[in-house]
Amino acid sequence: MNNLIVFPIILPAITAIILIFIGKNALLKRMVAFIGTLITFLICMLLMFKVHQNGPIHLELGNWPVPYAISLMSDGLSILLVTTSSLITLLIIFYSYQSIGIDRERYYYYASVMFMLTGINGAFTTGDIFNLFVFFEVFLMSSYVLMIIGGTKIQLQESTKYILINVTSSAFFVLAIGMLYAVVGSLQMADISQKIKDVDPTIVSIIAILFILVFATKAGMFPLYFWLPSAYYAPPMPILAFFGALLTKVGVYAIMRTYSLFFSTSNEITFNILLMLSIFTIIFGCIGALAYYDMKKIIIYNITIAVGVILLGAILLTKDGTIGAVYYLIHDMIIKASLFMLIGIIIKITNQTDMRNISGLIKTYPLLGWTYFIAALSLAGIPPLSGFYGKMFIVKSLFNTQHIFSAIVVLISSLVVLISVIRIFLYVFFRESHSDYPKVPIHKMLIASVLMTLTAVLFGLFAGDLYPFIESAAKSLYQPDYYIHHAGVK
Amino acid sequence: MEIIMIILSGILISVAVYLMLSKSLLRIIIGTAVISHAVNLLIITSGKLKTGQAPIYDKHIQKYVDPLPQALILTAIVISFAVTALILVVAYRSYKELGTDNITTYKGVPEDE
């Protein structure tokens, strides 16, 4: 029965293989991709309830005993993230029907998306550090393809840079794994976290810094976020929504996991580095979000702000802090997808990305306008909506642990986030209109984005009912022993 | 023995960094290939280079080398091979579309104002 946890990984892979072989019929590809993701999502839901009832599920592949097998581990955190990413993929695939264009659909767009979901779900589920690297490469490779698909000039230029950055950071990832293996002699994460206690803390902190370097590049933290704004600017909107919602969050998850399992007991250095980097990530993200009039760039800089906020909560390793981080992580995946989708609709209607050139859209598209308004408030964290609980827990735990400055930075950053997204709302929807925008067919895109925003709103409204799920997810972060115990390590 | 290997991978990494900081895209790609070599060498070193037989089972052999790093670099090699193939094709396509090999002229994103 434990075999169920491989399904979120292999179902998208099988779907992708089918999609490669069914030729150039775009309609058929849409159907297969949608149904494959739907089944994946349903299985994820089933798994989530199983994990919630019976505790984390652990599977040794090939039935080898624990430190020798590649193990898959579905605890509360990973199953929650897997479910969220499957849901987001489902809705963005539906969104793509109208926005990605038939040419890209014919050339393996859906196959790449499914392989990316394979890699992401695998990275969230795996319990083996080298296997984590392999799944990172799986989704990075698909993201290279997605970034370059279509082959416009801007995509060629930016994807060259994106690939080079990621090749370098993957090389350092392999290096870090090599060093970890040299000192610990194991690759299974739970096993490493037991054995690393006997290792000289100086070496452990060097390895920790290497891992932070690697994952901070993937997650877009200061000072390694320099590739992110321009690289994410290049691809078409649905692909950007995938990247913004899912890719950086895998880096965040990897930092949370490795930090809580390996490096939490080593010393203060790792904590201080992560604290400083998170604060600077928030500050520089805020500067970027206020600096531009380009809608895409504003939301892209909001990604970095959220990464900083999540990590500030996660690295405290207190109960409140990790619960806040998990709440905020899930919220941020959903809301970033929904904001990118809504911005995509605006760009499709007006063919503009600069918000100063657009005005008065609320008259022709009221539903779009109000959905965007709700999404914007939710992003900033207005109480009944989804962004509130995460930030509340994070700020509370920052105050409790005497990190007053960080707490104030987080609070001010919410204000900046609100200004940056409401500015788009005021410019695009509420100014006096000088030009009439034609009615373009956007109903499928609109349905997908409204559903995505609705998910965010429901996540906020039922946050109290979801608390047990979030708490069991945070438990393996603030109590690493819980994770280690369930991974079958003696 | 490990010391020599570590120095060698250090030299390879510095060569790679030097190449990756240059302007020409092809030099950068050669740099990525070199960095993956350096890293693979380091992984082999991380398994400790004690003398022993190749890890193929034979009942007369008492001592083997660590088989795990070999499996790791086998995986890492094919991955970096695939990425290098992709990036070479991207570089070729970029050269055809953009007509330049100089990465400093790649200004993809339009500026504000």
Side-chain angles (χ1 to χ4, degrees), chain A residues 157 161, chain B residues 22-26 28 95 98-107:
Chain A
Q157 293 171 1
K161 297 175 197 166
Chain B
S22 58
K23 282 179 183 172
S24 157
L25 186 53
L26 270 181
I28 296 172
Y95 179 68
L98 309 167
T100 176
D101 182 33
N102 186 345
I103 200 151
T104 51
T105 58
Y106 279 21
K107 294 202 168 49

PDB file of all heavy atoms in Angstrom, chain A residues 157 161, chain B residues 22-26 28 95 98-107:
ATOM      1  N   GLN A 157      18.039  34.599 -25.819  1.00  0.00           N
ATOM      2  CA  GLN A 157      19.040  35.306 -25.023  1.00  0.00           C
ATOM      3  C   GLN A 157      18.939  34.947 -23.557  1.00  0.00           C
ATOM      4  O   GLN A 157      19.937  34.638 -22.900  1.00  0.00           O
ATOM      5  CB  GLN A 157      18.858  36.812 -25.198  1.00  0.00           C
ATOM      6  CG  GLN A 157      19.170  37.271 -26.595  1.00  0.00           C
ATOM      7  CD  GLN A 157      18.779  38.712 -26.815  1.00  0.00           C
ATOM      8  OE1 GLN A 157      18.285  39.372 -25.916  1.00  0.00           O
ATOM      9  NE2 GLN A 157      18.996  39.204 -28.009  1.00  0.00           N
ATOM     10  N   LYS A 161      21.362  32.415 -20.604  1.00  0.00           N
ATOM     11  CA  LYS A 161      21.849  32.799 -19.275  1.00  0.00           C
ATOM     12  C   LYS A 161      21.295  31.877 -18.199  1.00  0.00           C
ATOM     13  O   LYS A 161      22.016  31.455 -17.296  1.00  0.00           O
ATOM     14  CB  LYS A 161      21.446  34.242 -18.968  1.00  0.00           C
ATOM     15  CG  LYS A 161      22.055  35.248 -19.914  1.00  0.00           C
ATOM     16  CD  LYS A 161      21.514  36.632 -19.623  1.00  0.00           C
ATOM     17  CE  LYS A 161      21.768  37.575 -20.768  1.00  0.00           C
ATOM     18  NZ  LYS A 161      20.985  38.801 -20.652  1.00  0.00           N
TER      19      LYS A 161
ATOM     20  N   SER B  22      34.328  34.744 -19.530  1.00  0.00           N
ATOM     21  CA  SER B  22      34.704  35.408 -20.777  1.00  0.00           C
ATOM     22  C   SER B  22      33.456  35.777 -21.576  1.00  0.00           C
ATOM     23  O   SER B  22      32.343  35.440 -21.209  1.00  0.00           O
ATOM     24  CB  SER B  22      35.629  34.514 -21.584  1.00  0.00           C
ATOM     25  OG  SER B  22      34.978  33.302 -21.847  1.00  0.00           O
ATOM     26  N   LYS B  23      33.683  36.489 -22.678  1.00  0.00           N
ATOM     27  CA  LYS B  23      32.549  37.039 -23.417  1.00  0.00           C
ATOM     28  C   LYS B  23      31.965  36.058 -24.430  1.00  0.00           C
ATOM     29  O   LYS B  23      30.777  36.083 -24.690  1.00  0.00           O
ATOM     30  CB  LYS B  23      32.987  38.306 -24.161  1.00  0.00           C
ATOM     31  CG  LYS B  23      33.092  39.504 -23.251  1.00  0.00           C
ATOM     32  CD  LYS B  23      33.541  40.703 -24.037  1.00  0.00           C
ATOM     33  CE  LYS B  23      33.712  41.895 -23.105  1.00  0.00           C
ATOM     34  NZ  LYS B  23      34.335  43.014 -23.812  1.00  0.00           N
ATOM     35  N   SER B  24      32.841  35.247 -25.000  1.00  0.00           N
ATOM     36  CA  SER B  24      32.371  34.381 -26.071  1.00  0.00           C
ATOM     37  C   SER B  24      31.563  33.209 -25.505  1.00  0.00           C
ATOM     38  O   SER B  24      31.964  32.567 -24.537  1.00  0.00           O
ATOM     39  CB  SER B  24      33.575  33.865 -26.847  1.00  0.00           C
ATOM     40  OG  SER B  24      33.216  32.688 -27.502  1.00  0.00           O
ATOM     41  N   LEU B  25      30.411  32.933 -26.136  1.00  0.00           N
ATOM     42  CA  LEU B  25      29.513  31.903 -25.611  1.00  0.00           C
ATOM     43  C   LEU B  25      30.160  30.523 -25.660  1.00  0.00           C
ATOM     44  O   LEU B  25      29.998  29.718 -24.740  1.00  0.00           O
ATOM     45  CB  LEU B  25      28.219  31.918 -26.418  1.00  0.00           C
ATOM     46  CG  LEU B  25      27.101  31.015 -25.930  1.00  0.00           C
ATOM     47  CD1 LEU B  25      26.812  31.279 -24.482  1.00  0.00           C
ATOM     48  CD2 LEU B  25      25.849  31.246 -26.738  1.00  0.00           C
ATOM     49  N   LEU B  26      30.948  30.258 -26.717  1.00  0.00           N
ATOM     50  CA  LEU B  26      31.563  28.931 -26.825  1.00  0.00           C
ATOM     51  C   LEU B  26      32.564  28.685 -25.710  1.00  0.00           C
ATOM     52  O   LEU B  26      32.638  27.588 -25.164  1.00  0.00           O
ATOM     53  CB  LEU B  26      32.254  28.781 -28.181  1.00  0.00           C
ATOM     54  CG  LEU B  26      31.359  28.222 -29.277  1.00  0.00           C
ATOM     55  CD1 LEU B  26      32.134  28.082 -30.556  1.00  0.00           C
ATOM     56  CD2 LEU B  26      30.787  26.883 -28.870  1.00  0.00           C
ATOM     57  N   ILE B  28      32.360  29.905 -22.784  1.00  0.00           N
ATOM     58  CA  ILE B  28      31.571  29.659 -21.574  1.00  0.00           C
ATOM     59  C   ILE B  28      31.100  28.214 -21.534  1.00  0.00           C
ATOM     60  O   ILE B  28      31.136  27.557 -20.488  1.00  0.00           O
ATOM     61  CB  ILE B  28      30.382  30.633 -21.524  1.00  0.00           C
ATOM     62  CG1 ILE B  28      30.880  32.062 -21.417  1.00  0.00           C
ATOM     63  CG2 ILE B  28      29.486  30.319 -20.354  1.00  0.00           C
ATOM     64  CD1 ILE B  28      29.815  33.084 -21.539  1.00  0.00           C
ATOM     65  N   TYR B  95      23.156  31.813 -32.362  1.00  0.00           N
ATOM     66  CA  TYR B  95      24.063  32.401 -33.353  1.00  0.00           C
ATOM     67  C   TYR B  95      23.330  32.657 -34.654  1.00  0.00           C
ATOM     68  O   TYR B  95      23.482  33.695 -35.289  1.00  0.00           O
ATOM     69  CB  TYR B  95      25.252  31.468 -33.569  1.00  0.00           C
ATOM     70  CG  TYR B  95      26.201  31.991 -34.597  1.00  0.00           C
ATOM     71  CD1 TYR B  95      26.951  33.135 -34.336  1.00  0.00           C
ATOM     72  CD2 TYR B  95      26.314  31.388 -35.831  1.00  0.00           C
ATOM     73  CE1 TYR B  95      27.802  33.643 -35.287  1.00  0.00           C
ATOM     74  CE2 TYR B  95      27.169  31.888 -36.783  1.00  0.00           C
ATOM     75  CZ  TYR B  95      27.917  33.020 -36.510  1.00  0.00           C
ATOM     76  OH  TYR B  95      28.752  33.536 -37.452  1.00  0.00           O
ATOM     77  N   LEU B  98      20.502  35.546 -33.755  1.00  0.00           N
ATOM     78  CA  LEU B  98      20.956  36.843 -33.285  1.00  0.00           C
ATOM     79  C   LEU B  98      22.199  37.317 -34.014  1.00  0.00           C
ATOM     80  O   LEU B  98      22.537  38.497 -33.962  1.00  0.00           O
ATOM     81  CB  LEU B  98      21.255  36.786 -31.779  1.00  0.00           C
ATOM     82  CG  LEU B  98      20.152  36.205 -30.901  1.00  0.00           C
ATOM     83  CD1 LEU B  98      20.683  35.909 -29.530  1.00  0.00           C
ATOM     84  CD2 LEU B  98      18.992  37.166 -30.803  1.00  0.00           C
ATOM     85  N   GLY B  99      22.917  36.378 -34.659  1.00  0.00           N
ATOM     86  CA  GLY B  99      24.085  36.760 -35.433  1.00  0.00           C
ATOM     87  C   GLY B  99      25.272  37.195 -34.611  1.00  0.00           C
ATOM     88  O   GLY B  99      26.145  37.906 -35.093  1.00  0.00           O
ATOM     89  N   THR B 100      25.329  36.785 -33.341  1.00  0.00           N
ATOM     90  CA  THR B 100      26.495  37.147 -32.552  1.00  0.00           C
ATOM     91  C   THR B 100      26.820  36.048 -31.551  1.00  0.00           C
ATOM     92  O   THR B 100      25.953  35.259 -31.171  1.00  0.00           O
ATOM     93  CB  THR B 100      26.289  38.471 -31.793  1.00  0.00           C
ATOM     94  OG1 THR B 100      27.420  38.700 -30.971  1.00  0.00           O
ATOM     95  CG2 THR B 100      25.055  38.434 -30.940  1.00  0.00           C
ATOM     96  N   ASP B 101      28.099  36.035 -31.171  1.00  0.00           N
ATOM     97  CA  ASP B 101      28.582  35.047 -30.225  1.00  0.00           C
ATOM     98  C   ASP B 101      28.933  35.725 -28.910  1.00  0.00           C
ATOM     99  O   ASP B 101      29.271  35.068 -27.934  1.00  0.00           O
ATOM    100  CB  ASP B 101      29.822  34.386 -30.857  1.00  0.00           C
ATOM    101  CG  ASP B 101      30.392  33.296 -29.977  1.00  0.00           C
ATOM    102  OD1 ASP B 101      29.589  32.642 -29.299  1.00  0.00           O
ATOM    103  OD2 ASP B 101      31.611  33.117 -29.948  1.00  0.00           O
ATOM    104  N   ASN B 102      28.822  37.045 -28.881  1.00  0.00           N
ATOM    105  CA  ASN B 102      29.268  37.816 -27.729  1.00  0.00           C
ATOM    106  C   ASN B 102      28.125  37.964 -26.736  1.00  0.00           C
ATOM    107  O   ASN B 102      27.096  38.588 -27.031  1.00  0.00           O
ATOM    108  CB  ASN B 102      29.732  39.194 -28.228  1.00  0.00           C
ATOM    109  CG  ASN B 102      30.344  39.999 -27.125  1.00  0.00           C
ATOM    110  OD1 ASN B 102      30.191  39.668 -25.955  1.00  0.00           O
ATOM    111  ND2 ASN B 102      31.042  41.045 -27.489  1.00  0.00           N
ATOM    112  N   ILE B 103      28.324  37.422 -25.543  1.00  0.00           N
ATOM    113  CA  ILE B 103      27.186  37.357 -24.615  1.00  0.00           C
ATOM    114  C   ILE B 103      26.886  38.716 -23.993  1.00  0.00           C
ATOM    115  O   ILE B 103      25.790  38.944 -23.473  1.00  0.00           O
ATOM    116  CB  ILE B 103      27.425  36.268 -23.549  1.00  0.00           C
ATOM    117  CG1 ILE B 103      26.099  35.854 -22.914  1.00  0.00           C
ATOM    118  CG2 ILE B 103      28.401  36.714 -22.498  1.00  0.00           C
ATOM    119  CD1 ILE B 103      26.070  34.476 -22.428  1.00  0.00           C
ATOM    120  N   THR B 104      27.833  39.669 -24.078  1.00  0.00           N
ATOM    121  CA  THR B 104      27.533  40.985 -23.511  1.00  0.00           C
ATOM    122  C   THR B 104      26.534  41.761 -24.367  1.00  0.00           C
ATOM    123  O   THR B 104      25.951  42.724 -23.900  1.00  0.00           O
ATOM    124  CB  THR B 104      28.804  41.831 -23.373  1.00  0.00           C
ATOM    125  OG1 THR B 104      29.465  41.817 -24.627  1.00  0.00           O
ATOM    126  CG2 THR B 104      29.709  41.283 -22.308  1.00  0.00           C
ATOM    127  N   THR B 105      26.347  41.331 -25.615  1.00  0.00           N
ATOM    128  CA  THR B 105      25.338  42.018 -26.437  1.00  0.00           C
ATOM    129  C   THR B 105      23.953  41.409 -26.252  1.00  0.00           C
ATOM    130  O   THR B 105      23.004  41.863 -26.868  1.00  0.00           O
ATOM    131  CB  THR B 105      25.703  41.931 -27.914  1.00  0.00           C
ATOM    132  OG1 THR B 105      25.808  40.548 -28.262  1.00  0.00           O
ATOM    133  CG2 THR B 105      27.010  42.614 -28.216  1.00  0.00           C
ATOM    134  N   TYR B 106      23.837  40.396 -25.394  1.00  0.00           N
ATOM    135  CA  TYR B 106      22.525  39.783 -25.149  1.00  0.00           C
ATOM    136  C   TYR B 106      21.751  40.663 -24.183  1.00  0.00           C
ATOM    137  O   TYR B 106      21.890  40.556 -22.980  1.00  0.00           O
ATOM    138  CB  TYR B 106      22.705  38.401 -24.517  1.00  0.00           C
ATOM    139  CG  TYR B 106      23.028  37.295 -25.469  1.00  0.00           C
ATOM    140  CD1 TYR B 106      23.571  37.551 -26.710  1.00  0.00           C
ATOM    141  CD2 TYR B 106      22.783  35.970 -25.119  1.00  0.00           C
ATOM    142  CE1 TYR B 106      23.887  36.522 -27.564  1.00  0.00           C
ATOM    143  CE2 TYR B 106      23.089  34.943 -25.974  1.00  0.00           C
ATOM    144  CZ  TYR B 106      23.644  35.220 -27.189  1.00  0.00           C
ATOM    145  OH  TYR B 106      23.946  34.200 -28.023  1.00  0.00           O
ATOM    146  N   LYS B 107      20.928  41.529 -24.708  1.00  0.00           N
ATOM    147  CA  LYS B 107      20.113  42.349 -23.804  1.00  0.00           C
ATOM    148  C   LYS B 107      18.653  42.015 -24.060  1.00  0.00           C
ATOM    149  O   LYS B 107      17.950  42.696 -24.783  1.00  0.00           O
ATOM    150  CB  LYS B 107      20.394  43.827 -24.023  1.00  0.00           C
ATOM    151  CG  LYS B 107      21.816  44.166 -23.608  1.00  0.00           C
ATOM    152  CD  LYS B 107      21.996  45.616 -23.303  1.00  0.00           C
ATOM    153  CE  LYS B 107      23.316  45.878 -22.625  1.00  0.00           C
ATOM    154  NZ  LYS B 107      24.476  45.278 -23.282  1.00  0.00           N
TER     155      LYS B 107
END
